[in-house]
Amino acid sequence: RKRAMFARALSWWSAALRGRSIPRRARHVYAFESRQPRIDETAFVAPSATIIGDVELLSDASVWYGCVIRGDVDKVVVGRGSNVQDATVIHVRSSILGDGRPHATVIGDGVTVGHSAILHAATCADHSFVGMQACLLDFSVVESFGMVGAGSLVTSGTVVRSGELWVGRPARKVRDVTDKERDFIRRSADAYVDFARRHHETATPLR
């Protein structure tokens, strides 16, 4: 067991010497073919999260327990101070299965993606909000301060405009976002930056 721990530590230090950042608390981070994750040293990746391939996590981004982010056939970006909450799955559109139209998944800055959401080849602009168990399909877009309600299905190519709340399966606009909700979107992102710091510093496995 000690030998295995030493080998893991040695591989991480070797990565650092090669100029690759070591994500805070990350355990399941994998290259895929020529695609490698790029994770800012201030980003938090929970130990049970899995990051694969061309995935970029910018400063103060957080990826929580049980998440899977798979950038095997296109790119995934998680912006500054954005949080991808527990059990969320993020993937991309391949050229082979996407009729020659591959597409990345891009999450801007200050975005909250709630627990158990699914994002597939979708775009979330800065300060947008995706509720728990919502699903965003290929080429869908949530603009800045757009909100997708919990459990909603945003169908392929749909655009949730800035300042709109969409709910349902399929999702439809129900009203405009209130000033209180805009403030909540900002506070949610800021709070999760702090939560990530606290988990990095104090979450300890029990033996």
Side-chain angles (χ1 to χ4, degrees):
R1 183 174 180 178
K2 289 182 178 179
R3 186 176 298 173
M5 292 174 64
F6 176 79
R8 184 181 298 118
L10 181 62
S11 68
W12 278 37
W13 281 113
S14 298
L17 291 173
R18 292 196 302 271
R20 291 169 53 193
S21 62
I22 299 173
R24 296 192 292 170
R25 286 296 181 103
R27 294 295 183 271
H28 305 290
V29 178
Y30 303 98
F32 176 78
E33 296 178 346
S34 62
R35 300 174 184 267
Q36 294 198 26
R38 295 175 305 287
I39 302 177
D40 188 90
E41 63 182 6
T42 64
F44 172 75
V45 180
S48 58
T50 302
I51 308 290
I52 306 164
D54 190 359
V55 177
E56 183 173 12
L57 305 183
L58 300 184
S59 59
D60 290 324
S62 59
V63 178
W64 291 81
Y65 304 93
C67 290
V68 176
I69 302 182
R70 180 154 59 99
D72 53 350
V73 292
D74 212 306
K75 183 175 184 176
V76 177
V77 178
V78 181
R80 296 172 183 82
S82 292
N83 60 90
V84 178
Q85 295 177 14
D86 315 71
T88 289
V89 175
I90 299 178
H91 194 221
V92 293
R93 181 182 172 103
S94 72
S95 178
I96 295 172
L97 297 177
D99 298 323
R101 295 192 300 158
H103 199 274
T105 293
V106 178
I107 297 171
D109 299 341
V111 175
T112 289
V113 178
H115 311 289
S116 298
I118 298 175
L119 276 62
H120 197 274
T123 301
C124 297
D126 296 350
H127 306 295
S128 55
F129 186 95
V130 178
M132 294 181 286
Q133 294 190 332
C135 179
L136 276 59
L137 297 182
D138 298 20
F139 306 112
S140 62
V141 176
V142 183
E143 294 184 346
S144 181
F145 291 103
M147 295 188 76
V148 177
S152 297
L153 172 64
V154 181
T155 54
S156 181
T158 298
V159 178
V160 177
R161 300 293 181 189
S162 179
E164 295 181 351
L165 171 63
W166 285 51
V167 174
R169 300 180 72 86
R172 297 282 187 268
K173 179 186 175 182
V174 293
R175 58 173 173 80
D176 290 336
V177 171
T178 65
D179 290 342
K180 184 177 181 180
E181 287 165 338
R182 285 177 180 266
D183 180 64
F184 177 79
I185 290 172
R186 295 187 185 95
R187 289 190 295 110
S188 175
D190 291 343
Y192 263 86
V193 171
D194 181 60
F195 292 159
R197 176 189 58 78
R198 291 162 58 189
H199 277 256
H200 170 64
E201 293 174 354
T202 67
T204 305
L206 300 177
R207 299 186 186 281

